[in-house]
Amino acid sequence: MSFFESITKKSKLKAAIKQTTEARSSGGHTADQLFKKVYQDYAEVVANEPLIAEALYNWGLALLHQARTKSGEAAANLYQDAIAKFSFCLTIEPAYLGAALDGGVAYMELARVKAVAPNDSLYERAKSYFEKANAIQAGSASYNVACIYGLRGEKEGCHNALEISKNKGYLPVVADIIADPDLDRVKHQDWFVDFMESLNKKPEAAVEVSEAVVKDAALNEKADVVENPVVADTPIIEKVEDDSVEDAAAVAESEVVEHNALVAEDAAVPEKTEVAAEADVVAEEVK
């Protein structure tokens, strides 16, 4: 905090203290308005103090965990003290998500300790904290809101909150949802069964998408091979060898023709020689 901010806050604090005295001496509607204004001034004095806000949050978180180890009135007192710390933290740092979430959780657990009905004001206060958390970060407390609606057996509110939690990525794992006692009143309703089945189908859909991607990749690879065939050295060698084979075949054929011609000539010569010999014999006899 700068020196100027420190002086400004001290001045505002003095004014708030003075107005508090005035409010205490007033009555009725006037006193209520003065107290309201005083609270706003005090909030401005303590606002934007991150170190104090963090200390208050962690203080409240410690009280929340200690409360879970107790029962009855002792637990209730610790829950109320934790809520006070979370509330003060949010006064200093209105966007402190942890304080909003755990403040709602503390109210819900306090409601269980006191064994109040689902429509009790404690659950309404818890819902108010969760809605504040959702305003800070959308969907962060939607599952908690769904639990409150589930305790009341309110189908539409519970279903909508679960869908928001799912879409924003804050939904717990399936096993935890099924085991959650806050949802016992809606677990056997058709819409809840369908919702849980849709969660179970999600991994299968992911596998189908993966297979489709692999298939598309294979088709694209095949198309690339057809469109851009790779000319390797081997086909060229095979082509040369084919030409050589053709040339060799031509030479062989020529040699066969020449051989046949020579054989034919050789075969014809003996016949001609025998005829000439016979002619010579006849000529001798005539002589």
Side-chain angles (χ1 to χ4, degrees), residues 108-264:
M108 283 194 73
E109 294 184 10
L110 176 61
R112 293 191 188 100
V113 167
K114 290 183 172 290
V116 299
N119 291 322
D120 189 84
S121 62
L122 288 177
Y123 282 110
E124 279 300 312
R125 292 173 187 173
K127 184 168 171 284
S128 177
Y129 268 77
F130 293 142
E131 289 171 347
K132 185 185 291 290
N134 281 335
I136 297 169
Q137 190 164 319
S140 59
S142 292
Y143 180 76
N144 304 79
V145 174
C147 288
I148 293 176
Y149 283 123
L151 285 168
R152 297 171 177 173
E154 297 181 15
K155 166 191 170 182
E156 186 175 353
C158 184
H159 192 185
N160 289 341
L162 286 173
E163 288 288 353
I164 293 172
S165 182
K166 172 187 172 183
N167 294 335
K168 296 297 182 180
Y170 287 100
L171 200 66
V173 297
V174 172
D176 289 344
I177 298 173
I178 294 174
D180 197 329
D182 292 341
L183 300 174
D184 284 348
R185 293 187 63 181
V186 299
K187 285 179 182 177
H188 301 293
Q189 295 181 10
D190 292 340
W191 69 266
F192 187 85
V193 174
D194 292 340
F195 178 79
M196 297 306 296
E197 287 180 354
S198 71
L199 298 180
N200 291 328
K201 291 178 181 178
K202 190 173 181 180
E204 298 177 2
V207 171
E208 292 175 1
V209 171
S210 299
E211 292 175 350
V213 171
V214 172
K215 187 175 181 181
D216 290 342
L219 291 174
N220 291 336
E221 183 178 354
K222 185 176 180 181
D224 290 340
V225 171
V226 173
E227 293 177 4
N228 303 304
V230 178
V231 179
D233 293 336
T234 303
I236 295 175
I237 295 173
E238 291 177 354
K239 185 175 181 181
V240 173
E241 292 175 354
D242 291 343
D243 292 341
S244 301
V245 170
E246 292 177 0
D247 293 343
V251 172
E253 184 178 356
S254 175
E255 291 176 351
V256 170
V257 170
E258 292 177 0
H259 175 71
N260 291 338
L262 291 173
V263 172

